[in-house]
Amino acid sequence: MTRTMHKWVVRQPGAQHLAFEEAAVPTPGANEIVVRVGAVSLNYRDLGVIAGEDGALSLPYPLTPGSDMAGVVVATGAGVSRFREGDAVIGTFWADWIDGEWPDHARVIGGALPGVLAQYVVLHQDWAVAAPRSLDAIKASTLPCAGLTAWFALAEKGAIRAGQTVVVQGTGGVALFGLQIAKAHGAEVIVTSSSSAKLERARALGATHGIDRSVQPRWEEAVRELTGGRGADHIFELAGGENLGASLRAVRQGGRISLIGVLGELSMTLPSVPSFLTRPVIQGIGVGHRRALDELVRAIDATKIEPVIDTVYPSERLPEALAHLKRGAFGKIVVDFAE
Amino acid sequence: MTRTMHKWVVRQPGAQHLAFEEAAVPTPGANEIVVRVGAVSLNYRDLGVIAGEDGALSLPYPLTPGSDMAGVVVATGAGVSRFREGDAVIGTFWADWIDGEWPDHARVIGGALPGVLAQYVVLHQDWAVAAPRSLDAIKASTLPCAGLTAWFALAEKGAIRAGQTVVVQGTGGVALFGLQIAKAHGAEVIVTSSSSAKLERARALGATHGIDRSVQPRWEEAVRELTGGRGADHIFELAGGENLGASLRAVRQGGRISLIGVLGELSMTLPSVPSFLTRPVIQGIGVGHRRALDELVRAIDATKIEPVIDTVYPSERLPEALAHLKRGAFGKIVVDFAE
Amino acid sequence: MTRTMHKWVVRQPGAQHLAFEEAAVPTPGANEIVVRVGAVSLNYRDLGVIAGEDGALSLPYPLTPGSDMAGVVVATGAGVSRFREGDAVIGTFWADWIDGEWPDHARVIGGALPGVLAQYVVLHQDWAVAAPRSLDAIKASTLPCAGLTAWFALAEKGAIRAGQTVVVQGTGGVALFGLQIAKAHGAEVIVTSSSSAKLERARALGATHGIDRSVQPRWEEAVRELTGGRGADHIFELAGGENLGASLRAVRQGGRISLIGVLGELSMTLPSVPSFLTRPVIQGIGVGHRRALDELVRAIDATKIEPVIDTVYPSERLPEALAHLKRGAFGKIVVDFAE
Amino acid sequence: MTRTMHKWVVRQPGAQHLAFEEAAVPTPGANEIVVRVGAVSLNYRDLGVIAGEDGALSLPYPLTPGSDMAGVVVATGAGVSRFREGDAVIGTFWADWIDGEWPDHARVIGGALPGVLAQYVVLHQDWAVAAPRSLDAIKASTLPCAGLTAWFALAEKGAIRAGQTVVVQGTGGVALFGLQIAKAHGAEVIVTSSSSAKLERARALGATHGIDRSVQPRWEEAVRELTGGRGADHIFELAGGENLGASLRAVRQGGRISLIGVLGELSMTLPSVPSFLTRPVIQGIGVGHRRALDELVRAIDATKIEPVIDTVYPSERLPEALAHLKRGAFGKIVVDFAE
């Protein structure tokens, strides 16, 4: 194994302070594994972490950002039973959320804990799962956050069934995973977007209908029409603000609205009377646990879902990748660490 | 059986148009029962119906208001199998919501359908259940709407368990049923109110803690303290507006907020980031189905819960009862139809 | 409309007493519809009804057998709001099980209630749903009992998800619907059978694996191997007797065994220690409710599942169809009533 | 701290080989705590472990038996964050089953892992929770296995509600916890026993009804009568063999039978037709996870449930305690380690 490597470090808040620094390749302690990183997919929250804003959390500087990684185990510490050298793995987004309810002591990799934008990372063996056999590292790296968020909303919490209708707002990473996971369960999918070109691409991925918000700003009425008045069974709320009220008008009686990483708006507004007469379940989704990630991996292998990658950047061009993410992407932006 | 009776009728919107009119005692058609009404409990929505406002529904005039009734079956039509003459019954709030999901064709008794503020009413046999053996008509009349709403939120949807903490806002009918039902399941209850006298009475009913909002307007912080930082397991959201954001800050990770008949405010506001990081379930509750009402009746008989009645008015003094309801009550206002 | 029709009648127990008798075309009473039957699919229990054995129920003679029908509404009685003349419909197996828990008063069409092996039938409007747009009457007639049983076990009760493994025993109607519904949700399916030819056909329908019980009588060990030791997520128990113990050894930790119309054996045997250490859910499935049938219809239209028909017999050749059913079929036997 | 202590050791299978040996007081490694044991409650399975039979597991000799302990933390190793010296704790039965599904690597304390019949024990910090404030060590020691088993069946999996009916078979530790937990949720409880004296004591604890099996061997018919024909909502199946068939006839439509540590019989038998027409959920319960144990502790503090102790033996008289356990007890047998 080489003795040195490069990793991205930000020593003070601000993207201008990102540096691809040389560092020693880590060695594993007890219960730890060292992973040679193959690829890291980016999430919108990485922009916040680099800028020094991660919700209410205070971040430890210097820090390495990045939460979603696929790679290969190259060393294992004492007591490691889950993996062996050579195993292809993906990391978890939350360290120590294994199953059931989110525990207080769970922390984010690439937040309170060191991130994965590095050639080698060291992780507790509990913070990784076997990668899907059907995906390469570029594609597998998209599962821990965006993939799992969509899976958790639809399959773990949502009991998605064939014949239901799912609405996803926009064409970002979570939205397109929502589309693909819903389709894999036999559901119909309505995508909303302000770009007819993106809607065309969403249809090519299997979307049943697209609603062009630049033409039809009251998208909720279009959803009602497309479902014969019934409303959608599941809605991914990704916009916030007044849009939540529209989601409520678009959801069916007793349907489900998943609140997912709403970053564009500081608050959301719900009209009162429809809130109880529609009897919806409105549920916050904050990624998910490791048991569900294992199940997503099995589902990926069984259904041959191919995560949608907008662009792959080589590892040394992270700043360009982040700039692209900020502009908006169709699916995921991935940073390639393969040598 | 007498041939004529009195019932309350409003021939045009407005409480000033209420009249206690003479009418023929109804006779039952096929599958119908006639009930001699013992008591009717009032709900805040009755004020809206009398004023001509029932959400989005258009109301048929002249109409008899009132949704919640207890009485005795005095006649049965052909095909009636659920009841016999002499059976003590309570009505359902929703006609034709028997079990499972709310069906489109369900209608409100005392809304789209004729109400129960009358000495005799005729009902489809499916719109009533056996009254609890442990309550008289005055108390039993409070179950169909207020009682069932609290039961549906906690027991049918909420899986309330011993040792959990429930927050109820205020001391109206639903709030006090929430208190009593939670206590009957071994849970602890925090009541919020702006009246220290009402908090005292709530404690006498079994509330574990009271938060006086006139002293502690940031009640959510008090809830955090009282639960050792953990937050409440269930919250009845009864105020709306900005209060929903406070409920979100008061609820535990993965906890449940029930949206119940929020009448004071037209909309509700949620802060974005806590909405997904707290992972709450926020669920609209619109009363409940008949199967759950049957189960509530069994629970009442098993636990000897006594519904909290603020004041009983004789049937001819309905306007005074409505005025009292409007001022606010501690528990329920009931109209007595016993002769 | 023609005034007379033919229907199958059995005037005393025994298949030898079946007669295709002339009768008046029924007229609809209040809330009733008359359906011109297009096709009736047969179920194993029809043999029992004709022989005079329907579990603990006493059957009313003379009776018309048959539970599963697809047809077209040709007349509607007063008060019918769910259908119009010309609507394609399928019947429900259970009369009056609409949603939620099975109610005591629900009865079987083709059991306690008159059956559908007739050119015209009269039904309460609540005992039918809109037929799927994507199926003809022959195929649609298979949904009310066999299709719904499989759907109820997997989708309504089982929360089937992509990537899971489902085991179905044999290649009868319920088993093949289980295969198709599981596949439509992205699951993998293992079929067990004693016929390699039938396993070949099951693979052509999408089965991931087949286990030939004539070669591998300990099929549960093969399931363990095929799932990497994990066990199956869902098992359809269709054989009974000692086989339930094998299902328990084949199911994963916390997995689900659906007990479905086990007719071959009078009792089933479970080993004690694995019963609690495997923590399975073992659940009886007795067809399902109308709300789920509506959802199955939507799923059929969305996924284009084509029910598997073994053989179609013209209506006057019912006895041959029943004999075929008794011998065993690959999928469903259907009786065609189209003129 | 003293340097030596005593602990019970069995160096080869058989109760005659139990010895109360001197040993060094353990010191905590990283993430470990040392607990001064206050009390250990016995479970029927301890007899099997001492005899060398623990289901399919091979046991490591010499071993210290005992799974259920309450005590006080007297030392903490590096990295311990969950506890401090002086904290009153109870152990978990399963090491490393924290929440959600039972994981393969979970092991039993007092089975594959060293047990707790010792004056001091060392545990990973994850294998203990805070003891209830309302119980002393004698009573608290009964929660990890018997208490949690009953809680898991009724509250975690069973959604027990006020007004339901629970049947518990016998008056052992799990049965009496079932009685108390059901009562604390407002449910009614029927106890079956062959001893009228024990039924009398069960009634004194709050049982609504007792069925004396020596008088009424067909106890299931008595349950039907006592529930007005409806059947019980929850049944604890603790006997096995043919009794499971009786439980099936006693449970209500769609009700729940929990299979719990059935030790008396190697197998259980179910009649086929009622198995699907009653639509029960039959679920294996193998104790439960740590998150549920935390919730049980909160419930104990909130409801003031006092676990039922038959007899307390001083630590050096373990063999007598085991003999008592074997004869049968009313509630729990506890071994007192307080000095």
Side-chain angles (χ1 to χ4, degrees):
Chain A
M1 199 191 307
T2 51
R3 297 295 177 81
T4 62
M5 63 159 187
H6 276 76
K7 64 176 179 180
W8 283 99
V9 178
V10 54
R11 294 190 169 271
Q12 52 179 293
Q16 70 278 27
H17 300 298
L18 270 171
F20 203 35
E21 299 188 351
E22 191 170 279
V25 169
T27 50
N31 290 311
E32 290 181 339
I33 58 176
V34 173
V35 178
R36 189 177 63 233
V37 175
V40 174
S41 79
L42 300 182
N43 296 299
Y44 208 81
R45 70 180 296 285
D46 295 330
L47 298 170
V49 169
I50 291 166
E53 303 144 6
D54 179 30
L57 297 176
S58 65
L59 295 164
Y61 288 90
L63 65 76
T64 294
S67 298
D68 290 7
M69 173 275 300
V72 173
V73 175
V74 293
T76 59
V80 168
S81 56
R82 291 172 47 82
F83 301 105
R84 291 199 285 189
E85 278 184 42
D87 284 355
V89 296
I90 57 177
T92 59
F93 177 87
W94 286 105
D96 294 323
W97 185 13
I98 305 302
D99 199 351
E101 296 187 4
W102 183 88
D104 276 347
H105 64 273
R107 289 164 299 167
V108 174
I109 292 174
L113 290 172
V116 292
L117 281 159
Q119 289 174 325
Y120 292 85
V121 295
V122 62
L123 296 173
H124 192 285
Q125 66 167 333
D126 281 345
W127 306 346
V129 303
R133 294 183 307 276
S134 56
L135 298 183
D136 62 20
I138 297 289
K139 285 181 174 153
S141 75
T142 64
L143 300 180
C145 182
L148 182 54
T149 297
W151 175 265
F152 213 72
L154 290 175
E156 177 72 21
K157 293 290 180 184
I160 179 79
R161 295 173 195 176
Q164 291 188 324
T165 301
V166 177
V167 174
V168 298
Q169 300 172 352
T171 55
V174 175
L176 293 186
F177 268 113
L179 187 169
Q180 292 178 297
I181 291 168
K183 289 299 294 180
H185 287 83
E188 303 197 321
V189 181
I190 300 172
V191 180
T192 68
S193 171
S194 300
S195 153
S196 62
K198 287 180 174 174
L199 287 175
E200 205 48 55
R201 293 171 69 184
R203 272 191 213 95
L205 282 168
T208 320
H209 304 285
I211 300 173
D212 188 338
R213 296 181 64 165
S214 67
V215 176
Q216 245 170 321
R218 304 206 57 165
W219 62 270
E220 68 272 27
E221 293 176 1
V223 169
R224 283 273 159 201
E225 265 175 57
L226 290 168
T227 55
R230 191 165 163 271
D233 297 280
H234 299 251
I235 298 181
F236 276 23
E237 175 58 57
L238 290 155
E242 298 289 333
N243 193 63
L244 179 57
S247 290
L248 189 66
R249 286 185 294 273
V251 80
R252 75 160 165 90
Q253 173 67 221
R256 175 173 281 266
I257 298 172
S258 296
L259 302 176
I260 297 173
V262 181
L263 295 160
E265 303 278 349
L266 289 177
S267 69
M268 297 178 282
T269 308
L270 272 173
S272 294
V273 172
S275 295
F276 55 90
L277 284 188
T278 305
R279 301 175 182 79
V281 171
I282 304 171
Q283 178 157 27
I285 299 291
V287 195
H289 50 55
R290 193 185 76 191
R291 198 252 302 150
L293 184 59
D294 265 327
E295 294 180 359
L296 170 59
V297 166
R298 266 200 292 279
I300 293 283
D301 279 339
T303 60
K304 309 302 178 210
I305 287 176
E306 298 263 353
V308 179
I309 311 291
D310 182 308
T311 310
V312 179
Y313 290 85
S315 58
E316 65 275 15
R317 287 168 55 198
L318 174 65
E320 284 170 74
L322 291 165
H324 188 159
L325 179 70
K326 208 166 184 171
R327 288 196 304 275
F330 187 88
K332 298 294 292 179
I333 303 290
V334 180
V335 178
D336 186 356
F337 276 86
E339 283 150 47
Chain B
M1 200 191 304
T2 50
R3 297 295 176 79
T4 63
M5 63 158 187
H6 276 77
K7 65 176 179 180
W8 283 98
V9 178
V10 54
R11 295 191 168 271
Q12 51 178 294
Q16 70 278 25
H17 300 297
L18 271 171
F20 202 36
E21 300 186 352
E22 190 170 281
V25 170
T27 51
N31 290 310
E32 290 182 338
I33 56 176
V34 173
V35 178
R36 187 178 65 232
V37 175
V40 173
S41 80
L42 301 183
N43 296 299
Y44 209 81
R45 70 180 296 285
D46 295 331
L47 297 170
V49 169
I50 292 167
E53 302 144 6
D54 179 27
L57 298 177
S58 65
L59 295 164
Y61 288 91
L63 64 77
T64 294
S67 299
D68 291 7
M69 174 274 300
V72 173
V73 175
V74 292
T76 58
V80 168
S81 55
R82 291 172 47 82
F83 301 104
R84 290 198 286 190
E85 278 183 42
D87 284 355
V89 296
I90 56 177
T92 60
F93 177 87
W94 285 105
D96 293 324
W97 185 14
I98 305 301
D99 199 352
E101 297 186 4
W102 183 88
D104 277 347
H105 64 274
R107 288 164 299 166
V108 174
I109 292 174
L113 290 172
V116 292
L117 280 160
Q119 289 175 324
Y120 292 86
V121 294
V122 62
L123 295 173
H124 191 285
Q125 64 167 332
D126 281 343
W127 307 346
V129 304
R133 293 183 308 276
S134 57
L135 298 183
D136 61 19
I138 297 288
K139 285 182 174 153
S141 75
T142 64
L143 300 180
C145 181
L148 182 55
T149 297
W151 175 265
F152 213 72
L154 290 176
E156 177 72 22
K157 294 290 181 183
I160 179 79
R161 294 174 194 173
Q164 292 189 323
T165 301
V166 177
V167 174
V168 299
Q169 301 172 352
T171 55
V174 175
L176 293 185
F177 268 114
L179 187 169
Q180 292 178 298
I181 291 168
K183 289 298 294 180
H185 287 83
E188 303 198 321
V189 180
I190 300 173
V191 179
T192 68
S193 171
S194 302
S195 153
S196 61
K198 286 181 174 173
L199 287 175
E200 205 47 56
R201 293 170 71 184
R203 272 189 213 98
L205 281 168
T208 321
H209 303 285
I211 299 173
D212 188 338
R213 297 181 64 163
S214 67
V215 176
Q216 245 171 320
R218 304 208 56 166
W219 62 271
E220 67 273 27
E221 294 176 2
V223 169
R224 284 272 159 203
E225 264 174 57
L226 289 168
T227 55
R230 190 166 164 272
D233 297 279
H234 299 251
I235 298 181
F236 276 24
E237 175 58 57
L238 290 155
E242 298 289 335
N243 193 63
L244 179 56
S247 290
L248 189 66
R249 286 185 295 273
V251 80
R252 76 161 166 88
Q253 174 66 221
R256 174 173 282 266
I257 298 172
S258 297
L259 303 177
I260 297 174
V262 181
L263 295 159
E265 303 279 348
L266 290 176
S267 68
M268 297 178 282
T269 309
L270 273 173
S272 293
V273 172
S275 295
F276 54 92
L277 284 187
T278 305
R279 301 174 182 81
V281 171
I282 304 171
Q283 178 158 27
I285 299 291
V287 196
H289 50 54
R290 193 185 77 191
R291 198 252 301 151
L293 183 60
D294 265 326
E295 294 180 358
L296 169 59
V297 166
R298 267 199 291 277
I300 293 283
D301 278 338
T303 61
K304 310 301 178 209
I305 287 176
E306 297 263 354
V308 180
I309 311 291
D310 183 306
T311 308
V312 179
Y313 290 86
S315 58
E316 66 275 14
R317 288 169 56 198
L318 174 65
E320 283 170 74
L322 291 165
H324 188 160
L325 179 71
K326 207 166 185 172
R327 289 195 305 275
F330 186 88
K332 299 293 292 178
I333 303 290
V334 179
V335 177
D336 186 356
F337 277 86
E339 286 150 46
Chain C
M1 198 191 304
T2 50
R3 297 293 175 81
T4 63
M5 63 159 187
H6 277 76
K7 66 176 178 181
W8 283 97
V9 177
V10 54
R11 294 189 170 270
Q12 50 177 297
Q16 70 277 26
H17 301 297
L18 270 170
F20 203 34
E21 300 187 352
E22 191 170 281
V25 170
T27 51
N31 291 308
E32 291 182 337
I33 57 176
V34 172
V35 178
R36 188 177 64 232
V37 174
V40 173
S41 79
L42 300 183
N43 296 299
Y44 207 81
R45 70 180 295 286
D46 295 330
L47 297 171
V49 169
I50 292 166
E53 303 144 6
D54 180 29
L57 298 176
S58 64
L59 295 164
Y61 289 89
L63 65 75
T64 293
S67 298
D68 291 8
M69 176 274 301
V72 173
V73 175
V74 293
T76 59
V80 168
S81 55
R82 291 173 48 82
F83 301 104
R84 291 199 286 191
E85 277 183 42
D87 284 356
V89 296
I90 57 177
T92 58
F93 176 88
W94 285 106
D96 294 323
W97 186 12
I98 305 301
D99 199 351
E101 297 185 6
W102 183 88
D104 277 346
H105 64 274
R107 287 165 299 167
V108 174
I109 292 175
L113 290 172
V116 292
L117 280 160
Q119 288 175 325
Y120 292 86
V121 294
V122 63
L123 296 172
H124 191 286
Q125 65 167 333
D126 280 344
W127 307 347
V129 304
R133 294 183 307 276
S134 56
L135 298 183
D136 61 20
I138 297 287
K139 286 182 174 152
S141 75
T142 65
L143 300 180
C145 181
L148 181 56
T149 296
W151 174 265
F152 213 73
L154 290 175
E156 177 72 21
K157 293 291 179 182
I160 179 79
R161 297 174 192 173
Q164 291 188 325
T165 300
V166 177
V167 174
V168 298
Q169 301 172 352
T171 54
V174 174
L176 293 185
F177 268 114
L179 188 169
Q180 293 178 298
I181 291 168
K183 290 298 296 179
H185 287 84
E188 303 197 322
V189 180
I190 299 174
V191 179
T192 68
S193 171
S194 301
S195 153
S196 62
K198 286 180 174 174
L199 288 174
E200 205 47 54
R201 293 171 71 184
R203 272 190 212 97
L205 282 168
T208 320
H209 304 286
I211 299 174
D212 187 337
R213 295 180 65 164
S214 66
V215 177
Q216 247 170 320
R218 304 207 56 166
W219 63 270
E220 67 273 27
E221 294 174 3
V223 169
R224 283 273 158 201
E225 266 174 55
L226 289 168
T227 55
R230 192 168 163 270
D233 297 280
H234 299 251
I235 298 182
F236 276 23
E237 175 58 56
L238 290 156
E242 297 290 333
N243 193 63
L244 179 57
S247 291
L248 189 66
R249 288 185 293 272
V251 79
R252 76 160 165 88
Q253 173 67 222
R256 175 173 281 266
I257 298 173
S258 297
L259 302 177
I260 297 174
V262 181
L263 295 160
E265 305 278 349
L266 289 176
S267 68
M268 297 180 282
T269 308
L270 272 173
S272 293
V273 172
S275 295
F276 54 89
L277 285 187
T278 305
R279 301 174 182 79
V281 171
I282 303 172
Q283 179 158 27
I285 299 292
V287 194
H289 50 53
R290 193 184 77 191
R291 198 252 301 149
L293 183 60
D294 265 326
E295 294 180 359
L296 169 60
V297 166
R298 269 200 290 277
I300 293 282
D301 279 338
T303 60
K304 310 300 179 211
I305 286 177
E306 298 263 354
V308 179
I309 310 290
D310 183 307
T311 309
V312 179
Y313 290 85
S315 58
E316 65 276 14
R317 287 168 56 198
L318 173 65
E320 283 170 73
L322 291 165
H324 188 160
L325 179 71
K326 207 166 186 174
R327 288 196 305 274
F330 187 88
K332 298 294 291 179
I333 304 290
V334 179
V335 178
D336 186 357
F337 277 85
E339 288 151 46
Chain D
M1 199 190 305
T2 51
R3 297 296 175 80
T4 62
M5 64 159 185
H6 277 76
K7 65 177 178 181
W8 283 98
V9 178
V10 55
R11 295 190 169 269
Q12 50 178 297
Q16 70 276 27
H17 301 297
L18 270 171
F20 202 34
E21 300 187 353
E22 191 171 279
V25 169
T27 50
N31 290 310
E32 290 181 337
I33 57 176
V34 173
V35 178
R36 189 177 64 234
V37 174
V40 173
S41 79
L42 300 183
N43 296 298
Y44 208 81
R45 70 180 295 285
D46 295 330
L47 297 171
V49 169
I50 291 166
E53 302 144 6
D54 181 28
L57 297 176
S58 64
L59 295 164
Y61 288 89
L63 63 78
T64 293
S67 298
D68 291 8
M69 176 273 302
V72 173
V73 175
V74 292
T76 59
V80 168
S81 56
R82 290 172 48 83
F83 301 104
R84 291 199 286 192
E85 277 183 41
D87 284 355
V89 297
I90 57 176
T92 59
F93 176 88
W94 286 105
D96 293 324
W97 185 13
I98 305 303
D99 199 351
E101 296 186 4
W102 183 88
D104 277 346
H105 65 273
R107 287 165 299 166
V108 174
I109 292 174
L113 291 171
V116 293
L117 280 160
Q119 288 175 324
Y120 292 85
V121 295
V122 63
L123 296 173
H124 191 287
Q125 65 167 334
D126 281 345
W127 306 347
V129 305
R133 294 183 307 277
S134 55
L135 298 183
D136 61 21
I138 298 287
K139 285 181 174 153
S141 75
T142 64
L143 300 180
C145 181
L148 182 54
T149 297
W151 175 264
F152 213 72
L154 290 176
E156 177 72 21
K157 293 291 180 182
I160 179 79
R161 295 174 194 173
Q164 292 188 325
T165 300
V166 177
V167 174
V168 299
Q169 301 173 351
T171 55
V174 174
L176 293 186
F177 268 115
L179 188 169
Q180 292 178 298
I181 291 168
K183 289 298 295 181
H185 287 84
E188 303 197 322
V189 181
I190 299 172
V191 179
T192 68
S193 171
S194 301
S195 153
S196 62
K198 287 181 175 174
L199 288 175
E200 205 47 55
R201 294 171 70 184
R203 272 189 212 97
L205 282 168
T208 320
H209 304 286
I211 299 174
D212 188 337
R213 295 180 66 164
S214 67
V215 177
Q216 247 171 320
R218 304 206 58 164
W219 62 270
E220 67 273 25
E221 293 175 3
V223 170
R224 284 273 158 200
E225 265 174 56
L226 290 167
T227 55
R230 192 168 161 269
D233 297 279
H234 299 251
I235 297 182
F236 277 24
E237 175 57 58
L238 290 156
E242 297 290 333
N243 193 65
L244 179 56
S247 290
L248 189 66
R249 287 186 293 272
V251 79
R252 76 160 165 88
Q253 173 67 223
R256 174 172 282 265
I257 298 172
S258 296
L259 302 177
I260 298 174
V262 181
L263 295 161
E265 303 279 347
L266 290 177
S267 67
M268 296 178 282
T269 308
L270 272 174
S272 293
V273 171
S275 295
F276 55 91
L277 285 187
T278 305
R279 301 176 181 78
V281 171
I282 303 171
Q283 178 157 27
I285 299 291
V287 195
H289 50 54
R290 194 184 75 191
R291 197 252 299 150
L293 183 60
D294 265 326
E295 294 179 359
L296 170 59
V297 167
R298 267 199 291 278
I300 293 283
D301 278 339
T303 61
K304 309 301 179 211
I305 286 176
E306 298 264 354
V308 179
I309 311 292
D310 183 307
T311 309
V312 179
Y313 290 85
S315 58
E316 65 277 13
R317 287 169 56 198
L318 174 64
E320 283 170 73
L322 291 165
H324 189 161
L325 179 70
K326 208 165 184 172
R327 286 196 305 275
F330 187 87
K332 298 294 291 180
I333 303 290
V334 179
V335 178
D336 185 356
F337 278 85
E339 286 149 47

